[in-house]
């Protein structure tokens, strides 16, 4: 996400960093580089022009030119203006004071609308809401079935009707059903097309009139670049959308759509899709995204991911196990599973200040290895998982056969586990921990 843009902007900033004092000519040269970086990132031309003019006007002021650290002042201005460009502050989903909150999902076919209707419902369910999904896409083959499968995966009910009913009637009946059963959020999945046409828009307008949605969220594929902004502008003019969900942002190293949508439509990006899995959706924070783009990291999102992934009760239990040296193979597997749920190493690196995501692009948690290790551990008895030292040759053969792996893989897992347990045992001893901190004691592997 934004990798290409981040690298080009940081190269542009080098023109400022090498100077003790800046002149207007220096600022102009640096702004030319920033302008090219934004255009190559597929940012809308008018957006780039306005942005560069705003930054340039601030950068040639006395605050920068007379500063002892002018480069830092320029970066600060770019950060502030990038944040303003993307909306300034987080725009939250509006919750209706009188339930249910109705969220109408619209967008072109293939943008991920159905999947993100389910993702959003899952996100709010995790926050204590009671969501209902309503299947109004009666045209795309298997669209209703797809929503039902997603609903089943997330344990969220899906309202649908037999063929022959119009999307408007389904939406109306779905809302009545939600009110009757006490669901406090309704996500209406509407039909999409490969392009915007009159028939599609007329149907969407009729659904809007029928259910009076609290929010109309447009799902846009970030991978289509400037076309994403054009699509957003058209939908906004015809439906007066309330916000945008940018999908596939994890696959777009340029990020032009994220920088252009708010400026062109006047409507905020409310959520971003960051992966295929159903929990890969994040609220959009303009200030955090600006920091990420400029290579300053996104520590707040990283902390939130950690808090979401790591259970406080489990953390206390783990601390107790480390102190008492009772760390088991079940605990070992649990820790790796929690780390894996936070995302790829590259995604985490993008949130760490001063770390280039590209440096860790090949550092991945090996899912195949994880699956093998999980199979090995689950093939053990409870006693073997708690006391792996009892594993003799015959037990290892049985475990390898039961997990579809080899004895060598079982031995490799046990060796890794012994090394980690030895390290944790060292940490449980204050004297040893002190020696480790001072570099007098080496890691056991």
């Amino acid at each position: 996400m934004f990798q290409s843009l981040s690298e080009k902007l940081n190269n542009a900033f080098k023109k400022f960093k090498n100077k003790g004092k800046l002149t207007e000519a220096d600022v102009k040269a640096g702004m030319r580089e920033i302008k090219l970086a934004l255009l190559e990132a597929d940012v809308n031309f008018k957006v780039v022009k306005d942005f560069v003019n705003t930054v340039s006007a601030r950068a040639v002021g006395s605050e920068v030119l007379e500063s002892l650290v002018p480069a830092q002042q320029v970066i600060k201005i770019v950060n502030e203006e990038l944040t303003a460009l993307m909306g300034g502050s987080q725009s939250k989903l509006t919750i209706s004071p009188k339930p249910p909150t109705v969220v109408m999902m619209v967008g072109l076919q293939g943008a991920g609308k159905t999947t993100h209707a389910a993702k959003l419902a899952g996100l709010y369910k995790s926050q204590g809401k009671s969501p209902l999904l309503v299947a109004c896409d009666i045209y795309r083959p298997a669209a209703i079935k797809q929503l039902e499968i997603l609903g089943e995966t997330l344990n969220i009910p899906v309202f649908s009707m037999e063929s022959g009913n119009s999307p408007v009637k389904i939406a109306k009946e779905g809302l009545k059903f939600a009110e009757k059963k006490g669901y406090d959020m309704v996500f209406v999945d509407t039909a999409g097309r490969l392009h915007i046409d009159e028939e599609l828009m007329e149907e969407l307008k009729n659904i809007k009139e029928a259910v009076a949605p609290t929010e109309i969220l447009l799902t846009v594929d970030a991978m289509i670049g400037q076309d994403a902004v054009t699509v957003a502008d058209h939908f906004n003019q015809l439906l007066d959308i309330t916000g945008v969900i940018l999908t596939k942002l994890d696959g777009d190293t340029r990020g032009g759509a994220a920088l252009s949508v708010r400026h062109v439509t006047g409507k905020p990006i409310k959520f971003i899709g960051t992966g295929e899995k159903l929990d890969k959706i994040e609220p959009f924070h303009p200030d955090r995204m600006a920091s990420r783009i400029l290579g300053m990291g996104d520590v707040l999102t990283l902390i939130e991911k950690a808090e979401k992934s790591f259970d406080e009760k489990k953390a206390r239990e783990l601390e107790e196990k480390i102190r008492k040296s009772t760390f088991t193979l079940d605990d070992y597997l649990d820790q790796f599973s929690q780390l894996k749920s936070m995302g790829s190493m590259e995604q985490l690196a993008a949130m760490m200040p001063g770390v280039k995501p590209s440096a860790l692009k090949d550092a991945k948690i090996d899912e195949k290895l994880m699956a093998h290790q999980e199979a090995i551990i689950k093939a053990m008895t409870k006693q073997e998982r708690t006391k792996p030292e009892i594993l003799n040759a015959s037990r290892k053969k049985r475990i390898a056969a039961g997990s579809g792996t080899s004895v060598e893989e079982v031995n490799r897992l046990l060796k890794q586990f012994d090394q980690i347990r030895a390290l944790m045992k060292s940490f449980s001893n204050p004297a040893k921990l002190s020696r480790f901190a001072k570099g007098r004691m080496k890691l056991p592997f």
Side-chain angles (χ1 to χ4, degrees), residues 14 25 30 79 94 141 163 201 204 238 296 307 373 408 411:
K14 285 177 185 175
N79 186 23
T94 302
S163 59
M201 285 304 164
L204 293 177
L238 295 164
M296 298 173 181
E307 285 176 341
Q373 292 196 343
E408 287 77 13
N411 284 330

Side-chain angles (χ1 to χ4, degrees), residues 10-25:
N10 278 300
N11 286 335
F13 291 143
K14 285 177 185 175
K15 289 188 176 294
F16 300 125
K17 288 177 181 175
N18 296 331
K19 307 254 183 185
K21 285 278 184 181
L22 290 182
T23 63
E24 285 193 33

Side-chain angles (χ1 to χ4, degrees), residues 2-55:
F2 300 114
Q3 188 178 317
S4 175
L5 176 58
S6 296
E7 288 173 1
K8 285 183 171 67
L9 284 177
N10 278 300
N11 286 335
F13 291 143
K14 285 177 185 175
K15 289 188 176 294
F16 300 125
K17 288 177 181 175
N18 296 331
K19 307 254 183 185
K21 285 278 184 181
L22 290 182
T23 63
E24 285 193 33
D26 294 328
V27 171
K28 193 173 180 181
M31 286 302 136
R32 193 179 302 116
E33 294 287 324
I34 290 172
K35 181 179 180 179
L36 286 172
L38 292 169
L39 289 172
E40 285 177 25
D42 220 6
V43 180
N44 178 278
F45 176 76
K46 187 178 182 305
V47 175
V48 173
K49 186 180 174 185
D50 292 347
F51 178 81
V52 170
N53 286 343
T54 304
V55 173

